[in-house]
Amino acid sequence: MRTFPSGVTHDIRYVSPFPIYVERAQGSRKWDVDGNEYVDYVMGHGALFLGHTHPEITQAVVDQAGRGTHYGANHRLELEWGERVKGLVPSAEEVRFTSSGTEATLMAVRLARAYTGRDKLLKFDHHFHGWQDYVVGVRVAESDSPRSPGIPDGTLATTISVPQNNLSLVEERLQEGDVAAVILEPTGASWGTLPIRHEFLAGLRELTSRHNAVLIFDEVVTGFRVSPGGVQARYGVTPDLTTLAKILAGGLPGGAVAGKTDILSMLEFRDDAGWNAGLRVAHPGTFNANPLSAAAGSTMLAQVATAEHHRHADRLNERLITQLNRVIQRAGVPGGAYGLASYSHILLGKEAPRPAGGIEWPEDASEPARMSASVTSALKRGMLNHGVDLMGGSGGFTSGVHTENDIDVTTEAFEATVGEMRAEGIV
Ligand SMILES: Cc1ncc(COP(=O)(O)O)c(C=O)c1O
């Protein structure tokens, strides 16, 4: 008798032969129903930049719950929250809150289409933007039209997917004059699993401006993480629109589209019945900017602004990646670990150059190979057995509350897991 398909409520939580059930969490740790303790690198799928049950965020949510969870009206905290986004994110001239990252990318694409009067969306292979119809298709073979069950061909035909890091391909497509927007994860596919070359961002900025297409940075993962102002602040490339979620809402549900006033104005009411009825982009959403998310999010962003937690999380991530690479080297198995700021990725069973100084994938190396599903699931399982929960089985997030001890415990777990995987002939 089952309640959920495959026993899970999010694809990434699927673990063979069975997933863990967690009962409580605190700081960098969580405990399952059998009392097993885990160092957590899932960190709320990247939302918990200050760890589980951070005292100030918890207090803000509890206080707000006592004052009301939904006013069906504007409220002070949503303004405070929006102002904080504007203060941190360079492209954020105006902000619109949504209930998730998927809703944020859906709205960004719609705004871009309405603003430009064009239909096509240009995205990059393997870049993830949530589960809405325009972005989930997977490109098959040489065709540049994505495919996905349950989505009409006509919808999929409006999305073009091309490999990342190739500006000439983008230019070729933009020259046709029908592309409304270019959307990407600005540190590369799957939060930097396939890292983007830095000059690619500046190149996209120049090409989209020249061809009047809207440039959308999907900073759902990278926003407030790779720097307080995200990728755009770190590398000095400002998109037209930015999609945000995860850290934005302090561990509660929430997302946002932020960007140029010109484009966000597609949402505004005007003293013009024709505009309001037929040209304006409508945007309801029962839980947009709900007071609990606003309380958690605003408290989180106040903490993010100082960059103090970034220094801590980034330093521990560097320690983690360095130690994981030493384990891989000692074990003599193919692979490497790399990352950026406070996220890490592990590649096992494939030859990989290891970062030389720092933690980033070497710029002059070709793109990392993708790890096979069987190796990923063996790694996830092995690490769980040794008390560590990785995000999706091949990496994760450090936070402002991880400790050196967490990293050392993780290194030991990794050493044991790699040894077992080698003994079983998996790597
Ligand atoms: C880059 C990116 N965009 C969008 C999303 C979708 O966000 P949500 O899960 O809040 O719908 C995700 C989720 O992981 C993401 O990583």
Side-chain angles (χ1 to χ4, degrees), residues 10 45 99-103 105 127-131 185 190-191 218-222 243 245-246 254-255 391:
H10 186 304
H45 296 202
S99 290
S100 68
T102 297
E103 288 186 20
T105 63
H127 284 229
F128 181 66
H129 305 294
W131 57 274
E185 289 187 76
S190 305
W191 44 291
D218 181 354
E219 295 230 42
V220 165
V221 173
T222 56
T243 50
K246 299 195 190 271
M391 171 77 175

